[in-house]
Amino acid sequence: MKLFSCRTAPGKGRIIQILQILVLSQFELRQKKFSPTPVLQASNFHLSLSWTTFEHLEHSILTNIVYSNITFHPTPLTPAIRSSLRRQQGLTIWLTGLSASGKSTIAVALEQALLRPPYNLSAYRLDGDNIRFGLNKDLGFSPKDREENIRRIAEVAKLFADSSTIAITSFISPYRRDRDVARQLHEAERPGGESGVPFVEVWVDVPVEVAEQRDPKGLYKKAREGKIPEFTGCSAPYEEPLKPEIHIRSAKTSVEDAVKQIVQYLEEKGYLKAPPMVKEDE
């Protein structure tokens, strides 16, 4: 356990002051074994925090410090001009659901449908397993690692969408909060003041019993045998989407019909139409 000792003025923002001092290394760090939780001590107050809360606060301070040393480099290519030049708009289609729900199979078919005639659009699939071979190979399956896994892929998907590409992600993404963060990231105002990019949440819904019967990778069997800890649907929770744009019941829907359902929604929203031509300022 750790004891952080420092002096700070009483009143508003005491925790932030402490963390700023911590980050700037103007503190004393002493190892203690008598406290069950990390303790922050100041001259005139005593505060106990869980490590999770403390780490979130510390991360916020570190992030602010990093941001103070970087500057966003804008481009004269506004989102409207880029979409006009590429003749399509970007968005992210976020498939979520249990393992063996059919997310990846649907994503593969959807990518093919959008790339080929009659649409001929630029689309790219980001698969949960594939990403762990590279970008996220340093992450496990703890709640914290799952959160970071989704944060990273949300950022990558947003870059694809910002480039006027259709990003198709297929991740279990079991926690509602993480999916909400991904949505907020996409829908946030862009650096140039333009509106964000569309985010389409697709819940590939399947009863866990059906997923276990499918079990193409044998993961549910291993999880039930205790060989895979923190497996979603068995020993870890899956928080169902509350208001997904699209709800696919994969036990009753073929892959072809699932793709049609998604494409129909995209067409109704106008996402597959070529954007209007934009005349650039000379």
Side-chain angles (χ1 to χ4, degrees), residues 77-276:
L77 285 173
T78 66
I81 293 174
R82 187 186 299 275
S83 294
S84 174
L85 292 171
R86 296 201 62 190
R87 306 304 300 139
Q88 73 172 75
Q89 62 175 308
L91 69 144
T92 289
I93 304 170
W94 189 281
L95 281 73
T96 174
L98 293 172
S99 178
S101 64
K103 299 182 305 299
S104 294
T105 305
I106 293 171
V108 168
L110 178 62
E111 181 185 37
Q112 294 272 338
L114 295 176
L115 282 166
R116 300 181 186 278
Y119 299 107
N120 300 309
L121 297 171
S122 177
Y124 193 81
R125 178 177 60 94
L126 300 165
D127 182 79
D129 281 356
N130 294 355
I131 290 295
R132 286 182 177 273
F133 281 101
L135 177 65
N136 292 350
K137 65 182 179 181
D138 60 320
L139 299 177
F141 292 90
S142 67
K144 185 176 180 180
D145 279 0
R146 285 177 181 271
E147 178 184 345
E148 175 62 14
N149 183 52
I150 297 307
R151 187 197 69 80
R152 291 184 192 178
I153 198 60
E155 292 281 4
V156 172
K158 180 185 176 182
L159 291 175
F160 273 88
D162 186 58
S163 74
S164 297
T165 297
I166 299 176
I168 305 169
T169 73
S170 54
F171 285 72
I172 294 174
S173 45
Y175 302 122
R176 194 174 295 128
R177 176 183 177 277
D178 294 342
R179 297 193 301 268
D180 288 344
V181 168
R183 179 185 294 276
Q184 292 162 10
L185 177 68
H186 281 74
E187 295 179 347
E189 184 179 275
R190 302 191 214 196
E194 303 88 357
S195 59
V197 294
F199 182 90
V200 179
E201 185 177 38
V202 181
W203 179 19
V204 185
D205 182 12
V206 66
V208 67
E209 298 80 12
V210 175
E212 285 200 61
Q213 290 173 4
R214 294 175 176 175
D215 203 13
K217 304 173 187 176
L219 299 179
Y220 283 95
K221 184 176 183 295
K222 292 180 180 179
R224 296 299 185 191
E225 294 171 350
K227 297 178 181 178
I228 303 179
E230 300 181 291
F231 187 77
T232 304
C234 294
S235 52
Y238 177 79
E239 298 173 358
E240 299 177 351
L242 298 179
K243 295 181 179 179
E245 280 75 12
I246 302 172
H247 185 177
I248 296 173
R249 293 175 172 83
S250 70
K252 302 177 181 179
T253 308
S254 68
V255 173
E256 182 180 358
D257 286 342
V259 171
K260 288 180 179 178
Q261 185 177 341
I262 297 172
V263 170
Q264 181 180 351
Y265 175 87
L266 299 178
E267 288 181 332
E268 290 173 353
K269 291 293 183 180
Y271 292 146
L272 303 184
K273 292 181 180 179

Side-chain angles (χ1 to χ4, degrees), residues 43-60:
S43 59
N44 59 350
F45 76 97
H46 177 93
L47 176 65
S48 293
L49 296 174
S50 68
W51 273 121
T52 301
T53 302
F54 183 83
E55 288 173 350
H56 284 168
L57 290 169
E58 183 181 22
H59 178 265
S60 176

Side-chain angles (χ1 to χ4, degrees), residues 61-76:
I61 290 297
L62 289 170
T63 301
N64 288 333
I65 289 177
V66 170
Y67 281 174
S68 69
N69 295 324
I70 61 176
T71 302
F72 185 82
H73 193 173
T75 172

